Amino acid sequence: MADKDLRKYSKIVVDGVEQAPSRAMLRAVGFEDADFKKPQIGIASTWSMVTPCNMHINKLAEDVNKGTDNAGGKGIIYNVITISDGISMGTEGMKYSLVSREVIADSVETVSGCMGHDAIITIGGCDKNMPGLLMGMARLNRPSIFIYGGTIQPGPNHTNVVSVFEAVGGHAAGKVSDIELKEIEDTAIPGPGSCGGMYTANTMASAIEAMGMSLPNSSAQDAISPEKENDCLSAGEAIMHLVEHDIKPSDIMTRAAFENAIKVTIALGGSTNAVLHLLAMAHTIGVELSLDDFTELGRSIPMLADLKPSGKYLMSELIKIGGIQPLMKMMLDAGMLDGSCMTVTGKTMAENLANVAPYPDGQDIIRPLDNPIKKDSHLRVLRGNLAPTGSVAKITGKEGLSFTGNARVFESEEDCMKGILDGTVVKDDVLVIRYEGPKGAPGMREMLSPTAAIMGAGLGESVALITDGRFSGGSHGFVVGHVTPEAYDGGPIAIVQNGDRISIDAESNTVSLELSDAEIAARLEKWQKPEPRYKRGVLAKYIATVASASEGAVTDKYLG
């Protein structure tokens, strides 16, 4: 390797007399003569102190840099932004959450593209920055590895961030005292790492590992652990192997790899956000993927993991029994996964899993294939006259498989939250939250605050909720999101009225407004498109460019 020039992009920036100014500036940030002949590895760190998910990633980035330098590359750390869903949840600020995915992808493409990095390692620790990082790497299509920042430890009494949200609803219902609420607030989130259940962060980390874009076990390591440190150090050697053999994201992120990711997501009972993000990632790398693929693949894949939010266990407990590698080996042996897919190890999935031991006897976190929690997918793509181009629900079966009730309509998440906390919402309601889609909100806010308040108020089994927004991975209950077309685009959800009957059926995969076609058409004819809520800035640009949720809510689909 030492005699072979592995620099495909950086040599354009640093070689030759005319690039002396470039070299001069790089010397100021630590380059020495020998470094200019090494492949430059961009290390995109999402470190910040805005969220516990990312507060430790500066240390992980230093470990990656050390591993890269040890392996013969020249690591260059740079930062990209991150936001916190959990902190901004239920506020106007949450409208920036999904937008941040695009900003992060733009940042990785911009920095590594500009600076001529020969390869890229990205480190993510919260749900939007992970798909954003993958999309940025996919756009440049240079040898790349993703590293997960790792999961958080649970708080006392098995608590986590969702415990706090649900305690708010319990407090409003008189079931949680002021003292109890304060105690949960003080202790549920004890330190660094991503939210502890099979919420969106752990879902996406698992999907990315199943896709082959992170090293084995990267998704199943505690944020502060020797294993996570070794994951970062090992990435340096792995990235140099990818550079030497010119193995790029397009060689790994194939159609078969996306199918593997979807199947593992289903087996784990993962978040509905995985649908949105996998669609976006597939679009970015040029793989054809649609909502219908989730339905088709889900017919033969069971849900096996008893993980929160609908289950009992946290990610830290799955880590202790081996993470997702034994699950993938079990699925591979059963013919459910394509073991021929290339991964960032430079080996196939089957080669990576060859010596993985099964789960220990007696564990009940991951069920055997012949005794699943649900025999097919919990991710349901529902269509009908209320969602002609699709919607996404997470139905584990614990909520029941169908629900019919009376519409109670809210024009925003805040209005719905008030209705739950003041007792307006009652049994047999189907809550309709609209104008919260990608364009209407804008930004397609997550509805963890209302769904958690419903649970905390004891209404989880007696009301349903549908929205053109989306849900946190921590949401559970009978909830349907990603309704398309969204209200802002004149979808039928825009003309629902209080008292209309709505039926949701997760077996026939339908969501229906019990009105005649003529009545729906008449109401739509009277509907008037609202003014956009933002006219300047990043949210205005997002409204102008974002595609439907059924297409991944990407911002470059219709640019020509």
Side-chain angles (χ1 to χ4, degrees):
M1 185 187 298
D3 297 330
K4 182 179 178 183
D5 189 352
L6 300 178
R7 302 170 305 146
K8 191 172 182 179
Y9 301 98
S10 63
K11 63 184 177 183
I12 300 170
V13 177
V14 300
D15 282 5
V17 172
E18 67 276 14
Q19 294 307 120
S22 304
R23 293 192 296 274
M25 294 191 74
L26 288 169
R27 290 181 192 279
V29 297
F31 272 63
E32 298 178 356
D33 284 346
D35 294 327
F36 295 114
K37 296 301 181 183
K38 299 175 182 177
Q40 292 186 25
I41 314 300
I43 302 169
S45 165
T46 55
W47 171 82
S48 79
M49 291 301 290
V50 304
T51 170
C53 310
N54 295 66
M55 63 186 286
H56 63 302
I57 286 179
N58 56 339
K59 171 62 167 60
L60 300 186
E62 293 291 348
D63 291 337
V64 173
N65 194 46
K66 185 188 301 181
T68 299
D69 289 352
N70 289 343
K74 178 58 180 175
I76 304 166
I77 299 172
Y78 64 90
N79 269 91
V80 297
I81 62 105
T82 193
I83 56 86
S84 172
D85 294 350
I87 295 170
S88 64
M89 195 73 68
T91 74
E92 190 76 1
M94 183 63 190
K95 294 181 177 181
Y96 291 91
S97 171
L98 189 57
V99 178
S100 77
R101 186 189 73 183
E102 309 303 303
V103 176
I104 290 162
D106 291 348
S107 297
V108 172
E109 179 188 2
T110 300
V111 175
S112 283
C114 170
M115 301 305 294
H117 295 155
D118 298 294
I120 308 165
I121 300 174
T122 62
I123 316 166
C126 196
D127 39 356
K128 301 315 159 304
N129 59 50
M130 288 189 275
L133 294 170
L134 264 290
M135 290 162 68
M137 294 190 295
R139 289 180 189 174
L140 289 174
N141 199 32
R142 300 175 189 182
S144 299
I145 295 174
F146 171 77
I147 296 172
Y148 182 38
T151 195
I152 196 171
Q153 287 294 303
N157 301 315
H158 219 235
T159 51
N160 62 89
V161 65
V162 176
S163 306
V164 190
F165 280 98
E166 293 187 357
V168 172
H171 184 269
K175 299 178 180 181
V176 175
S177 70
D178 291 347
I179 294 173
E180 290 170 325
L181 178 59
K182 180 66 162 61
E183 183 177 355
I184 293 172
E185 174 190 329
D186 288 349
T187 62
I189 305 172
S194 298
C195 300
M198 190 48 65
Y199 311 146
T200 305
N202 283 318
T203 296
M204 291 312 302
S206 300
I208 291 166
E209 180 178 331
M211 187 182 293
M213 282 298 293
S214 59
L215 293 174
N217 274 329
S218 185
S219 73
Q221 295 162 339
D222 292 321
I224 305 298
S225 66
E227 292 78 14
K228 183 49 64 182
E229 181 178 354
N230 289 336
D231 185 35
C232 294
L233 292 169
S234 299
E237 184 176 351
I239 198 69
M240 291 303 290
H241 180 84
L242 297 181
V243 170
E244 182 181 12
H245 295 278
D246 197 28
I247 299 172
K248 303 180 292 296
S250 59
D251 300 312
I252 298 171
M253 298 172 67
T254 62
R255 167 70 189 212
F258 275 95
E259 291 186 3
N260 285 341
I262 292 168
K263 291 173 181 178
V264 171
T265 297
I266 291 169
L268 289 168
S271 165
T272 53
N273 279 317
V275 178
L276 192 72
H277 296 325
L278 288 169
L279 288 172
M281 290 158 59
H283 162 76
T284 305
I285 201 68
V287 167
E288 291 292 328
L289 193 69
S290 72
L291 284 176
D292 291 333
D293 292 314
F294 288 83
T295 298
E296 190 59 36
L297 293 170
R299 297 187 202 281
S300 59
I301 303 298
M303 177 182 163
L304 302 173
D306 191 17
L307 294 166
K308 288 180 179 289
S310 57
K312 188 192 326 185
Y313 294 102
L314 292 166
M315 190 68 181
S316 56
E317 293 161 305
L318 179 60
I319 289 169
K320 290 175 182 176
I321 64 166
I324 72 167
Q325 290 278 297
L327 170 64
M328 291 170 60
K329 179 68 160 59
M330 179 171 65
M331 295 176 71
L332 178 67
D333 289 347
M336 293 180 175
L337 300 180
D338 186 338
S340 69
C341 292
M342 177 58 64
T343 75
V344 293
T345 65
K347 300 177 181 179
T348 66
M349 174 190 283
E351 290 173 323
N352 290 341
L353 295 174
N355 297 316
V356 170
Y359 288 118
D361 292 339
Q363 68 82 27
D364 61 347
I365 301 173
I366 302 293
R367 297 272 194 90
L369 290 169
D370 60 1
N371 183 29
I373 293 172
K374 191 172 185 290
K375 64 180 177 60
D376 55 6
S377 179
H378 65 298
L379 296 175
R380 315 303 291 188
V381 175
L382 311 181
R383 285 187 169 85
N385 63 4
L386 196 47
T389 54
S391 62
V392 181
K394 181 167 69 174
I395 306 295
T396 66
K398 297 178 181 180
E399 312 85 352
L401 295 173
S402 63
F403 193 100
T404 299
N406 301 313
R408 191 174 297 276
V409 180
F410 300 95
E411 306 298 336
S412 70
E413 179 185 359
E414 289 89 347
D415 288 347
C416 181
M417 191 68 178
K418 290 175 187 175
I420 296 166
L421 297 180
D422 68 14
T424 299
V425 172
V426 296
K427 180 181 177 182
D428 296 330
D429 278 349
V430 178
L431 311 185
V432 178
I433 308 178
R434 62 191 179 198
Y435 294 103
E436 290 288 5
K439 295 179 183 177
M444 204 180 179
R445 288 192 290 183
E446 292 180 344
M447 304 291 151
L448 179 56
S449 293
T451 59
I454 288 168
M455 288 295 174
L459 293 169
E461 296 181 0
S462 57
V463 303
L465 189 155
I466 68 171
T467 179
D468 52 7
R470 59 197 173 92
F471 297 109
S472 161
S475 293
H476 58 122
F478 214 101
V479 295
V480 181
H482 306 207
V483 170
T484 60
E486 62 174 289
Y488 184 85
D489 281 337
I493 192 173
I495 53 85
V496 179
Q497 297 176 4
N498 285 328
D500 288 343
R501 296 285 286 176
I502 294 175
S503 295
I504 307 165
D505 191 318
E507 291 187 296
S508 63
N509 294 331
T510 56
V511 55
S512 302
L513 186 59
E514 295 184 3
L515 294 175
S516 68
D517 292 345
E519 175 63 19
I520 292 173
R523 291 188 189 181
L524 284 172
E525 191 172 347
K526 295 177 183 177
W527 174 81
Q528 293 185 333
K529 190 181 188 74
E531 286 289 311
R533 288 177 172 170
Y534 289 82
K535 302 290 182 68
R536 296 287 186 276
V538 66
L539 293 179
K541 288 191 286 186
Y542 192 75
I543 295 170
T545 57
V546 70
S548 165
S550 64
E551 299 172 309
V554 294
T555 53
D556 60 355
K557 190 172 182 69
Y558 300 111
L559 296 182

